[in-house]
Each structure stands twice: as structure tokens, then as C-alpha cells.
Amino acid sequence: MLFALLCTDKPGALQLRLDTRPEHVAHLTKLNEEGKLAFAGPFLDADGKPNGSLVVLKADSVEAARALGEADPYAKAGVFASVEVKPWTWTFNNPEA
């Protein structure tokens, strides 16, 4: 199953996000190598600066997806104000369909 993690940064967390980015990228790279990452990328504010993330994971349950999200260095560092985990279906332009 696919799960979308909708992550919203805390106000003023940009520098913490930038400082933590190398570990975050390494985490996503590992998930990708394990076949658990469908895709990911940042949300942007009006100035084009990142202020959240969309991460779509392959997991067996919402609990497993949430655990993967909680292991993200951004989550551990306190970048996110909130993370919403939602089951998701990739309907259009799915390369695996």
C-alpha cells in the first residue's frame, strides 16, 4: 500500500531543515534502496523556500508508514509542526501500473 506523509514545517524551521538536509537525503536514499519510497519532495512557500514535505511511502500499514516517517531526520530534529499520514492510491502516471 501507498501512504502519503504530508509534513508541515514549524515556523522558523528553515535553517534547521537546511542543516539536517544531508541526513534527510541519506534516509530517503536508504528507503528508496529498500523499495519503500515511491517519491518525495518539499513544499515551497511564496518565496520558493521549502516549508514542508510530501513523502509517499510503500508500507503494509499506516502504523508502519508512520514509523518510517518518525525515523526521518527532519522529524527527529523537530523540523515538522505536524505530519499527517494518509493512505493513497497512485491513479495517473504511475510508472508501476
Side-chain angles (χ1 to χ4, degrees), residues 1-6 28 31-32 35-41 53-59 65 68 86-90:
M1 269 182 95
L2 293 175
F3 295 89
L5 280 63
L6 304 162
L28 293 181
L31 291 178
N32 189 52
K36 296 177 183 175
L37 178 67
F39 59 86
S53 298
L54 170 61
V55 180
V56 178
L57 299 171
K58 300 173 187 177
L68 290 172
K86 295 180 145 206
W88 187 72
T89 299
W90 195 341

Side-chain angles (χ1 to χ4, degrees), residues 1 12 21 23-25 29 39 45 90:
M1 269 182 95
R21 188 172 188 280
E23 292 85 4
H24 168 72
V25 170
T29 299
F39 59 86
D45 66 14
W90 195 341

